[in-house]
Amino acid sequence: MTDVFGDLVGQDEAVATLRRTAASAAALLRAAAPVAARAGAPAGAGDPEGYDDLDALAEELDDPGAAVGAGAVVPDAADPGAGMTHAWIFTGPPGSGRSVAARAFAAALQCVHGTGCGRCPGCHTTLAGTHADVRLVVPEGLSIGVGEMRALVLRAASSPSGGRWQVVIIEDADRLTEAAGNALLKAVEEPPPRTVFLLCAPSTHPDDVSVTIRSRCRVVPLRQPPAGAVAEVLVRRDGIAPDVAEWAAAAAQGHVGRARRLARDPEARQRRDAVLAVPRRLTGVGAAFDAASALIEAAEAEAAASVAEADEAERAALQTALGAGGTGRGAAGAMRGAAGQLKDLEKRQKSRATRAQRDALDRALVDLAGFYRDALTMALRAPVAPVHTDTATLAGAGAQKWAAEGALRRLEAVLECRSAIEANVKPRIAVEAMMLSLWRG
Ligand SMILES: [Zn+2]
């Protein structure tokens, strides 16, 4: 059994930083314990007044690198990895493990040994999502709203019940609404002494994270893990056969979760095959429109499959909570309230479905981009392995027919389609335009 960082594939540098910081955070807590005892409150009693803030604790440690003051981001120059601070951003391409890294770091902060041992209750409950002092925000719709963020910030200000840290993980921080971002900024600017915010975003570009929030956070960049490292973890952790693991790791282009799905789920493989059949199908205008419809419908089907289970479980849970079928006094009033809650749930589920569709379509476009990238590298005779080994022959034919320039134009058409959808162009219109460009070349 490895420790909590064992699932972070190919991220040695980031893991080293997080390990050093967890150790430094544990040292801060140890230094704080006698302070709390002197103030008459045993460590872990949950009295925030019993603790000094990070700055004071760091001074007590007499280690200027051990803490960074609220608002200032000045990691120790001698050892930039050591400083514990209140706010972090994990960046990296999809599938690189941003949220895995944030959860692992949260576990290390809650670990009773301060290392992220993977065995103690602190590590276990954090990874299982049941730790009382770790809150996880996963936006279900296209954005995280201000109401949700305010409630979260308020709760995050309470003292940690376990006596360690109050951790808030915000997945997809790039999906914060502006108002929600402002609510978060206030908390990050004046952080409660024991509260740590862990944000996950694709990059620190202002489109993803506001400049002001960025300036308050320490950044942990993750890279696209190499295919070899992804394959290794699929074999070791998921017991997947080495040849399947290698194929899936290459086909998923460094996306660990997708590699696992491709290795295990035959339907995921079928959907990918359908996407990679697109270049072959583009024989005319009509075929281009057909291919666009097929791509959109495949994304819808994949999204529906991915949310159906969660939708049903939530509906059942809500009905149980509302005591569906109750006949006692007050049941009528409860049912009136229930209608409102059910409506709320349906609204949330609808926005989650929209998001799942966009994610599925984006994955399909990334696969398609991989095909034209293969054609381009073959036309250039670049000594790199193809992304899609199973369509390498077709990509080779494309390379001959289109030459490097034609392959590049097609690759750009796919990437433009992704940008257009991100900029809120209707997916069907963007995909149709792309298919026509792919056909014309
Ligand atoms: Zn532990």
Short mmCIF file of all heavy atoms in Angstrom, two decimals, residues 210-236:
data_model
loop_
_atom_site.label_atom_id
_atom_site.label_comp_id
_atom_site.label_asym_id
_atom_site.label_seq_id
_atom_site.Cartn_x
_atom_site.Cartn_y
_atom_site.Cartn_z
N SER A 210 -9.18 34.44 -11.57
CA SER A 210 -8.98 35.88 -11.60
C SER A 210 -7.59 36.23 -11.08
O SER A 210 -7.02 35.53 -10.24
CB SER A 210 -10.05 36.58 -10.75
OG SER A 210 -9.69 36.54 -9.39
N VAL A 211 -7.06 37.33 -11.61
CA VAL A 211 -5.70 37.72 -11.29
C VAL A 211 -5.55 37.95 -9.78
O VAL A 211 -4.53 37.59 -9.18
CB VAL A 211 -5.32 39.01 -12.07
CG1 VAL A 211 -3.95 39.52 -11.64
CG2 VAL A 211 -5.36 38.72 -13.55
N THR A 212 -6.58 38.51 -9.16
CA THR A 212 -6.47 38.80 -7.73
C THR A 212 -6.43 37.52 -6.90
O THR A 212 -5.65 37.41 -5.96
CB THR A 212 -7.64 39.69 -7.25
OG1 THR A 212 -8.82 39.28 -7.93
CG2 THR A 212 -7.37 41.14 -7.53
N ILE A 213 -7.26 36.55 -7.26
CA ILE A 213 -7.20 35.27 -6.52
C ILE A 213 -5.85 34.60 -6.76
O ILE A 213 -5.19 34.15 -5.83
CB ILE A 213 -8.36 34.33 -6.94
CG1 ILE A 213 -9.68 34.87 -6.40
CG2 ILE A 213 -8.12 32.92 -6.42
CD1 ILE A 213 -10.87 33.99 -6.68
N ARG A 214 -5.44 34.60 -8.02
CA ARG A 214 -4.15 34.00 -8.37
C ARG A 214 -3.02 34.59 -7.52
O ARG A 214 -2.13 33.88 -7.05
CB ARG A 214 -3.91 34.24 -9.87
CG ARG A 214 -2.46 34.22 -10.33
CD ARG A 214 -1.89 32.81 -10.36
NE ARG A 214 -0.47 32.81 -10.63
CZ ARG A 214 0.47 32.94 -9.70
NH1 ARG A 214 0.12 33.09 -8.43
NH2 ARG A 214 1.74 32.90 -10.01
N SER A 215 -3.06 35.90 -7.31
CA SER A 215 -1.97 36.57 -6.61
C SER A 215 -1.91 36.18 -5.13
O SER A 215 -0.91 36.41 -4.47
CB SER A 215 -2.10 38.08 -6.74
OG SER A 215 -3.21 38.52 -5.97
N ARG A 216 -2.99 35.58 -4.62
CA ARG A 216 -3.00 35.17 -3.22
C ARG A 216 -2.65 33.71 -3.04
O ARG A 216 -2.64 33.21 -1.94
CB ARG A 216 -4.40 35.38 -2.61
CG ARG A 216 -5.00 36.73 -2.85
CD ARG A 216 -4.39 37.73 -1.93
NE ARG A 216 -4.96 39.04 -2.17
CZ ARG A 216 -4.49 40.16 -1.66
NH1 ARG A 216 -3.43 40.12 -0.88
NH2 ARG A 216 -5.04 41.30 -1.92
N CYS A 217 -2.45 33.02 -4.14
CA CYS A 217 -2.29 31.56 -4.05
C CYS A 217 -0.90 31.12 -4.47
O CYS A 217 -0.24 31.77 -5.26
CB CYS A 217 -3.29 30.88 -5.00
SG CYS A 217 -5.00 31.08 -4.55
N ARG A 218 -0.51 29.99 -3.92
CA ARG A 218 0.68 29.34 -4.42
C ARG A 218 0.26 28.34 -5.49
O ARG A 218 -0.74 27.65 -5.32
CB ARG A 218 1.39 28.60 -3.29
CG ARG A 218 2.88 28.82 -3.37
CD ARG A 218 3.55 28.18 -2.22
NE ARG A 218 4.39 27.13 -2.76
CZ ARG A 218 5.10 26.32 -2.01
NH1 ARG A 218 5.04 26.42 -0.70
NH2 ARG A 218 5.86 25.42 -2.56
N VAL A 219 1.01 28.27 -6.56
CA VAL A 219 0.62 27.43 -7.69
C VAL A 219 1.41 26.13 -7.69
O VAL A 219 2.62 26.14 -7.51
CB VAL A 219 0.85 28.17 -9.03
CG1 VAL A 219 0.45 27.29 -10.20
CG2 VAL A 219 0.07 29.48 -9.05
N VAL A 220 0.70 25.03 -7.86
CA VAL A 220 1.35 23.73 -8.03
C VAL A 220 1.04 23.26 -9.45
O VAL A 220 -0.06 22.79 -9.72
CB VAL A 220 0.81 22.70 -7.02
CG1 VAL A 220 1.51 21.34 -7.22
CG2 VAL A 220 0.99 23.19 -5.60
N PRO A 221 1.98 23.43 -10.37
CA PRO A 221 1.70 23.01 -11.75
C PRO A 221 1.88 21.51 -11.92
O PRO A 221 2.87 20.94 -11.49
CB PRO A 221 2.74 23.78 -12.58
CG PRO A 221 3.82 24.16 -11.63
CD PRO A 221 3.33 24.01 -10.22
N LEU A 222 0.87 20.88 -12.54
CA LEU A 222 0.98 19.46 -12.87
C LEU A 222 1.16 19.35 -14.38
O LEU A 222 0.66 20.18 -15.12
CB LEU A 222 -0.28 18.72 -12.44
CG LEU A 222 -0.63 18.81 -10.96
CD1 LEU A 222 -1.99 18.17 -10.70
CD2 LEU A 222 0.42 18.16 -10.10
N ARG A 223 1.89 18.33 -14.81
CA ARG A 223 2.08 18.20 -16.25
C ARG A 223 1.27 17.03 -16.77
O ARG A 223 0.74 16.23 -16.00
CB ARG A 223 3.56 17.99 -16.56
CG ARG A 223 4.12 16.78 -15.85
CD ARG A 223 5.65 16.75 -15.93
NE ARG A 223 6.14 15.48 -15.42
CZ ARG A 223 6.88 14.62 -16.11
NH1 ARG A 223 7.21 14.89 -17.35
NH2 ARG A 223 7.28 13.48 -15.57
N GLN A 224 1.16 16.96 -18.09
CA GLN A 224 0.49 15.80 -18.68
C GLN A 224 1.37 14.59 -18.42
O GLN A 224 2.52 14.56 -18.86
CB GLN A 224 0.31 16.04 -20.16
CG GLN A 224 -0.36 14.88 -20.85
CD GLN A 224 -0.71 15.21 -22.29
OE1 GLN A 224 -1.25 16.26 -22.59
NE2 GLN A 224 -0.39 14.31 -23.18
N PRO A 225 0.88 13.61 -17.69
CA PRO A 225 1.76 12.48 -17.36
C PRO A 225 2.13 11.69 -18.61
O PRO A 225 1.30 11.52 -19.50
CB PRO A 225 0.91 11.63 -16.40
CG PRO A 225 -0.47 12.08 -16.58
CD PRO A 225 -0.46 13.46 -17.14
N PRO A 226 3.37 11.22 -18.70
CA PRO A 226 3.78 10.43 -19.85
C PRO A 226 3.01 9.12 -19.92
O PRO A 226 2.62 8.56 -18.88
CB PRO A 226 5.28 10.17 -19.61
CG PRO A 226 5.54 10.54 -18.20
CD PRO A 226 4.44 11.42 -17.72
N ALA A 227 2.77 8.65 -21.16
CA ALA A 227 1.95 7.46 -21.35
C ALA A 227 2.50 6.27 -20.57
O ALA A 227 1.74 5.48 -20.01
CB ALA A 227 1.86 7.13 -22.84
N GLY A 228 3.83 6.16 -20.50
CA GLY A 228 4.43 5.03 -19.79
C GLY A 228 4.02 5.01 -18.32
O GLY A 228 3.71 3.96 -17.75
N ALA A 229 3.98 6.21 -17.70
CA ALA A 229 3.63 6.29 -16.28
C ALA A 229 2.15 5.95 -16.07
O ALA A 229 1.77 5.30 -15.09
CB ALA A 229 3.93 7.69 -15.74
N VAL A 230 1.29 6.38 -17.03
CA VAL A 230 -0.14 6.07 -16.93
C VAL A 230 -0.36 4.56 -17.06
O VAL A 230 -1.09 3.96 -16.28
CB VAL A 230 -0.94 6.83 -18.02
CG1 VAL A 230 -2.41 6.43 -17.97
CG2 VAL A 230 -0.79 8.34 -17.84
N ALA A 231 0.32 3.95 -18.04
CA ALA A 231 0.17 2.52 -18.24
C ALA A 231 0.62 1.76 -16.99
O ALA A 231 -0.05 0.81 -16.55
CB ALA A 231 0.99 2.08 -19.46
N GLU A 232 1.69 2.22 -16.41
CA GLU A 232 2.23 1.54 -15.23
C GLU A 232 1.21 1.52 -14.09
O GLU A 232 0.99 0.51 -13.44
CB GLU A 232 3.54 2.25 -14.82
CG GLU A 232 4.36 1.54 -13.77
CD GLU A 232 3.97 1.95 -12.36
OE1 GLU A 232 3.58 3.11 -12.14
OE2 GLU A 232 4.05 1.09 -11.46
N VAL A 233 0.54 2.66 -13.89
CA VAL A 233 -0.42 2.73 -12.78
C VAL A 233 -1.67 1.89 -13.09
O VAL A 233 -2.27 1.30 -12.19
CB VAL A 233 -0.76 4.20 -12.43
CG1 VAL A 233 -1.84 4.76 -13.31
CG2 VAL A 233 -1.15 4.32 -10.98
N LEU A 234 -2.06 1.81 -14.36
CA LEU A 234 -3.22 0.98 -14.72
C LEU A 234 -2.93 -0.49 -14.42
O LEU A 234 -3.79 -1.22 -13.95
CB LEU A 234 -3.56 1.13 -16.20
CG LEU A 234 -4.11 2.48 -16.67
CD1 LEU A 234 -4.49 2.40 -18.15
CD2 LEU A 234 -5.30 2.92 -15.85
N VAL A 235 -1.70 -0.89 -14.68
CA VAL A 235 -1.32 -2.28 -14.42
C VAL A 235 -1.24 -2.52 -12.92
O VAL A 235 -1.83 -3.46 -12.38
CB VAL A 235 0.05 -2.60 -15.08
CG1 VAL A 235 0.53 -3.98 -14.65
CG2 VAL A 235 -0.08 -2.53 -16.60
N ARG A 236 -0.55 -1.62 -12.23
CA ARG A 236 -0.28 -1.84 -10.81
C ARG A 236 -1.54 -1.69 -9.96
O ARG A 236 -1.84 -2.53 -9.12
CB ARG A 236 0.78 -0.81 -10.34
CG ARG A 236 1.05 -0.82 -8.84
CD ARG A 236 2.25 0.05 -8.48
NE ARG A 236 2.17 1.42 -8.97
CZ ARG A 236 1.43 2.39 -8.40
NH1 ARG A 236 0.70 2.12 -7.33
NH2 ARG A 236 1.41 3.60 -8.90
#
